[in-house]
Amino acid sequence: MDDGPHPLPAEFDRLRAPSSAYAPRQVVTYLCTREHVISVPFAAEAEVPEVWDCRCGQPATRVAAADAS
Ligand SMILES: [Zn+2]
């Protein structure tokens, strides 16, 4: 009996998907004008913006990250 191609269970796809735990990441720290510190995780290959919108609505500027390399 040929059951033909059928969709894989969603669970299978989830297991195969690259987990964020394994994805290379960088955490970028921003400091807003009200001295809020924000840590934003980005994918390692993501282009990191110099300015981030803080939760208080002020622009937060990127803080030089401690370079692990
Ligand atoms: Zn803020």
Side-chain angles (χ1 to χ4, degrees):
M1 175 181 167
D2 181 16
D3 55 11
H6 55 84
L8 294 164
E11 227 171 316
F12 185 81
D13 196 47
R14 183 147 45 87
L15 289 170
R16 288 186 64 218
S19 166
S20 59
Y22 292 96
R25 279 188 173 208
Q26 53 180 329
V27 177
V28 180
T29 304
Y30 293 92
L31 181 65
C32 99
T33 56
R34 292 183 183 174
E35 300 188 341
H36 298 138
V37 176
I38 318 155
S39 293
V40 185
F42 289 95
E45 71 273 17
E47 198 173 315
V48 178
E50 288 298 314
V51 178
W52 192 258
D53 286 330
C54 182
R55 62 181 182 276
C56 72
Q58 296 297 312
T61 52
R62 184 180 173 184
V63 176
D67 200 339
S69 64

